[in-house]
Amino acid sequence: MRLKAYSITAIFLIFITGNLQLAAASTLVYCSEGSPETFNPQLSASGTTFDASSRQIYNRLVEFKLGTTEIVPGLALRWDISEDGLEYTFYLRQKVRFHSTKYFTPSRYFNADDVLYSFNRQRKTSEPWYKVSGGVYKYFNDMGFNRLIRDVIKLDDYRIKIVLNKPDSPFLSNMAMDFASILSKEYADSLMKAGTPEQLDIKPVGTGPFMFVKYEKDAFIRYQAHPGYWRGREALDKLVFAITVDPSVRYARLRTGECQVMAYPLPTDIKSMKKNPAIKVAEQPGLNTAYWAFNVRKPPFDQARVRQAMNYAINRQAILDVIYQGTGEIADSVIPPTIWSWKAPDNVYVYNPDRAKKLLAEAGLAGGFEMDIWAMPVQRPYNPNARKMAELIQQDLSKIGIKANIVTYEWGTYLKKSRDGEHQTILLGWTGDNGDPDNFFSPLLSCAAAETGNNRSFWCNRKFDDLISLARIEQDQGKRKKLYRLAEVIFKQEAPWVTIAHSVRFLPYLKNVQGLKMDPFGGIYFSGVRLSK
Amino acid sequence: MLQLLLRRLLLVVPGFLGVTALTFFLIRLAPGDPILLLAGERGVSAERYAELQHQFGFDQPLLIQFTDYLWQVLNGNLGTSVVTQTPVLEEFGKLFPATLELAVIAMIFATIIGIPAGVLAAVKRNTVIDHSITAVSLVGYSMPIFWWALLLILLFSVNLGWMPVAGRINFIYDIDRVTGFMLIDTLLAGDKDAFFDALHHLVLPAIVLATIPLAVITRMTRSSMLEVLKQDYIRTARAKGLSEFSVIFKHALRNALIPVITVIGLQTSILLTGAILTEIIFSWPGIGKWILEAVYRRDYPVVQGGVLLIAGLVILVNTTVDLLYVVINPVLRRR
């Protein structure tokens, strides 16, 4: 009986003192927010998927310098651009090794065939690979690569030429995006031969800093350092993504040391995190803009004066204080300050209800009017609570005699109806993909975007459009900067939007994590990270 | 017995058909479109939209889509997820063991504590013990799971450091997946430490998941026992001079268990399907969270296939309970 009691006590002790301290010193555990959709970044548009695949496993010909939007050489050592801006020749790095894993051992180094394969899978509908795993190459098509690229030509084993249909300044930035990751043709061929091509997208092989080891949906992803990594082996031996959906639980895991870095903290937890001596909180303005757009096809928003009045009527500081709770900054420009062409605008709208009333009177609306504000039903990185934001706007508008009704729909319906122009005014936002200003101006404010409905204000100003079109083909960055500034002056004057805020992104981690850099695109990279004792 | 089993199995067919049709049409009635949701703010051109609609077969008339789907199901194919491009059955197979493991442990916990607590409350009727047990079970029943789980995590994991916060096992253990049941896989790997660690990770989620069934079982056992203890045969047993232990556990409990088993069956079905919150909070990779996410993203094949599989499980559990009834109750056996 006594022996039994001892055994029970022993088991209990094992339980409560059980090995709570995590992983060995060279293993970093990252509490991520969800499961990846695939391990092939060509097939997805989700940041969670990119974090788990392209950002740890793969490289691209050109890459963003970690922590910046600056383009640096990746698998291409250098590149030439033809005078007419139509031909890009990439000179490839030699002796780059692909991962050698339990399921694939490469017999050769990376070369031009891999680049050719990676792009042709996404662009050539006749390729047998095109339809594998559903064949939905979202980003490749969304960034217009299917129309932009005329041909991809292998000049020799270490030179590749990409020919464009028209000059395109953001092309290089786009080439640094996740969907342009380079996959192994040799691995692809071996899988096709074995009759299991879809394995390529489940069990990845890349040239990046970490090799894929194991994945269990909704539980974890295991990686280990790539010993032959061309930039040098990582200090971390192992990397684990502990998939933890709830942000409060991610924080609890960080506090107990179950993970060393956590994704997407709750804005309300930031204060307590900053007070915790074991935790560091890195922060950076997000590459995003939240805006309130006016449908210029619907009166009274066809009048610039009314739109300007809206800009004066809204107290953006109050929105920032209530909705973002210190996790955002006022947006005075279409683009966030992390983009190279950003400059604080000279003329900004400052909260001034009297001025707003005056402008309304000039527009013949002194008695006020009734209008709709569409508010998103979901939380987005650029807008934590659109419904509440709409309520604050509603209050501000009531002060100048406008009765605003808040309208909302299911997210997919909301996007579709607004693309069809059914709204009068709408709250929405945008997160940049490649750090290029064109990635904000063209998809959101061009005349072409007004045709497709992605330009939710349906505002089409020829002068503005010419300026951003010129900037898109201009190669000189200085000249592009000037063109965008001129375009912003017209934008401010015409006021198709109220630019509301750029959210600030936070990245909490334990103090023993060294070398972690925040990515302006909102992703996470563990290359260059180490753990101190 | 065999007749009963056959009768039950015959009833399963219309049940399955009903569930298949309901899920298929209801998810399509809900506003939202998987392709638009996948596209997000970036949108998708009309041509591309049409192309994707065709690829997923959403461009067909609804009735044709339904008959195609039925035919697929009859051939054992539940379709492929729109989001992950993985077969639904494969995803279910990977996630279900985690749900089942947690549900079984939680149910064992709820039964082991719930039945004796109910018996004790009934035997000590109207005493402090009875009132305490009733009060605790009422609190347990009305406890919001989300809040209760976070409270336990804050106390036992964050403040006391006794329990892990989330997950199925510490990441220092790299256990190969054989059955998908962590307790079994750690034993198969011959790693005793890993087994205890997996058990350790089960404690908090099992307590949280067991809270409501525990309260229900306790209350049901209590009321059923009170009913039985009033019966003449109990008085006879006592008059015969049987020990109180024998009266309670041999004569009363066995008869009182019949409604309790029904409740256990129903609660098990709920645990298998309704562990969504527990799974999300404890980062438990189970089917609850999987289906919820599929509903949010309008991933039609996953919602349809997932619900069908869960319905199958619920029917299986309930049929088993009905059969257990017969085993326990000799009167039913004779019929």
Side-chain angles (χ1 to χ4, degrees), chain A residues 335-355:
Chain A
I335 53 169
T338 28
I339 288 189
W340 54 263
S341 68
W342 184 88
K343 186 180 170 267
D346 301 325
N347 50 343
V348 294
Y349 289 100
V350 181
Y351 177 53
N352 188 343
D354 293 333
R355 185 84 194 269

Side-chain angles (χ1 to χ4, degrees), chain A residues 15-322:
Chain A
F15 256 56
I16 60 169
T17 56
N19 200 346
L20 275 181
Q21 108 200 140
L22 272 188
S26 58
T27 301
L28 185 138
V29 182
Y30 167 60
C31 273
S32 64
E33 73 285 6
S35 293
E37 293 164 353
T38 162
F39 280 93
N40 182 350
Q42 299 174 331
L43 296 166
S44 178
S46 119
T48 306
T49 299
F50 297 150
D51 284 343
S53 59
S54 41
R55 291 163 187 167
Q56 323 304 334
I57 296 170
Y58 293 107
N59 288 116
R60 288 138 296 279
L61 292 182
V62 292
E63 300 193 335
F64 295 112
K65 187 178 172 185
L66 269 187
T68 73
T69 56
E70 186 190 329
I71 302 290
V72 292
L75 290 177
L77 274 168
R78 60 191 174 86
W79 53 92
D80 294 334
I81 307 170
S82 64
E83 289 257 319
D84 58 5
L86 289 175
E87 291 182 3
Y88 286 70
T89 307
F90 293 93
Y91 299 83
L92 307 184
R93 205 175 281 277
Q94 300 193 16
K95 296 200 172 169
V96 171
R97 290 177 197 277
F98 276 103
H99 302 152
S100 188
T101 64
K102 276 185 188 169
Y103 46 89
F104 174 68
T105 310
S107 68
R108 63 163 176 82
Y109 291 116
F110 149 79
N111 66 28
D113 289 332
D114 303 308
V115 181
L116 212 59
Y117 165 74
S118 302
F119 283 93
N120 283 348
R121 173 168 178 185
Q122 301 180 82
R123 58 185 283 269
K124 286 200 164 174
T125 47
S126 55
E127 283 266 317
W129 274 99
Y130 184 81
K131 287 211 181 304
V132 173
S133 301
V136 182
Y137 304 101
K138 234 189 105 15
Y139 248 121
F140 188 85
N141 293 318
D142 286 355
M143 301 311 287
F145 266 39
N146 51 345
R147 296 181 303 274
L148 181 68
I149 296 181
R150 178 184 294 171
D151 208 355
V152 183
I153 304 160
K154 175 185 168 182
L155 300 175
D156 59 42
D157 271 358
Y158 291 99
R159 274 191 316 149
I160 201 122
K161 189 199 275 182
I162 300 184
V163 186
L164 307 184
N165 280 316
K166 57 178 182 166
D168 186 75
S169 290
F171 177 69
L172 266 187
S173 303
N174 291 339
M175 286 291 285
M177 285 173 63
D178 303 86
F179 73 87
S181 294
I182 304 300
L183 282 64
S184 161
K185 180 173 190 297
E186 190 190 3
Y187 179 46
D189 285 344
S190 71
L191 289 173
M192 190 56 102
K193 208 172 152 192
T196 54
E198 65 289 342
Q199 287 295 310
L200 185 85
D201 310 322
I202 300 165
K203 291 182 167 178
V205 167
T207 55
F210 293 98
M211 308 194 292
F212 174 84
V213 177
K214 199 187 272 184
Y215 165 56
E216 276 196 20
K217 189 175 164 64
D218 293 341
F220 63 81
I221 313 166
R222 284 179 181 277
Y223 307 87
Q224 71 182 57
H226 175 196
Y229 186 43
W230 57 274
R231 279 191 176 116
R233 188 190 187 283
E234 293 297 327
L236 294 175
D237 291 325
K238 290 176 182 172
L239 174 66
V240 179
F241 276 34
I243 298 162
T244 312
V245 178
D246 188 84
S248 308
V249 178
R250 286 202 291 275
Y251 181 30
R253 292 187 101 172
L254 187 75
R255 283 163 77 185
T256 56
E258 279 185 33
C259 46
Q260 283 98 21
V261 184
M262 71 168 275
Y264 303 105
L266 282 176
T268 44
D269 284 336
I270 301 292
K271 258 189 198 162
S272 103
M273 284 175 180
K274 285 184 174 170
K275 279 186 197 155
N276 190 325
I279 296 174
K280 267 189 181 174
V281 184
E283 58 182 86
Q284 191 179 50
L287 199 71
N288 59 51
T289 305
Y291 61 83
W292 181 32
F294 310 108
N295 186 346
V296 302
R297 290 178 181 169
K298 289 196 173 175
F301 298 101
D302 51 344
Q303 297 186 62
R305 267 184 297 210
V306 176
R307 303 194 297 262
Q308 288 164 0
M310 299 293 120
N311 270 276
Y312 283 116
I314 305 309
N315 186 350
R316 290 181 297 166
Q317 189 56 53
I319 289 178
L320 226 67
D321 295 342
V322 176

Side-chain angles (χ1 to χ4, degrees), chain A residues 15 19-20 22-23 37 133-134 214 217-218 222 242-245 249 253 258 380 382 410 419 431 433 454, chain B residues 32 41-43 55 85 146 158 161 164-166 170-176 200 203 281 283 285 289 297:
Chain A
F15 256 56
N19 200 346
L20 275 181
L22 272 188
E37 293 164 353
S133 301
K214 199 187 272 184
K217 189 175 164 64
D218 293 341
R222 284 179 181 277
I243 298 162
T244 312
V245 178
V249 178
R253 292 187 101 172
E258 279 185 33
R380 303 296 287 166
Y382 48 77
E410 177 277 333
R419 191 164 283 120
T431 303
D433 304 295
N454 214 31
Chain B
E41 287 93 332
R42 263 155 201 86
Q55 196 172 318
Q85 296 297 323
F146 198 80
V158 177
V165 177
N170 191 316
F171 292 112
I172 55 170
Y173 303 108
D174 187 2
I175 302 295
D176 282 330
H200 197 191
V203 175
I281 296 171
S283 306
K289 191 184 145 280
R297 303 181 79 157

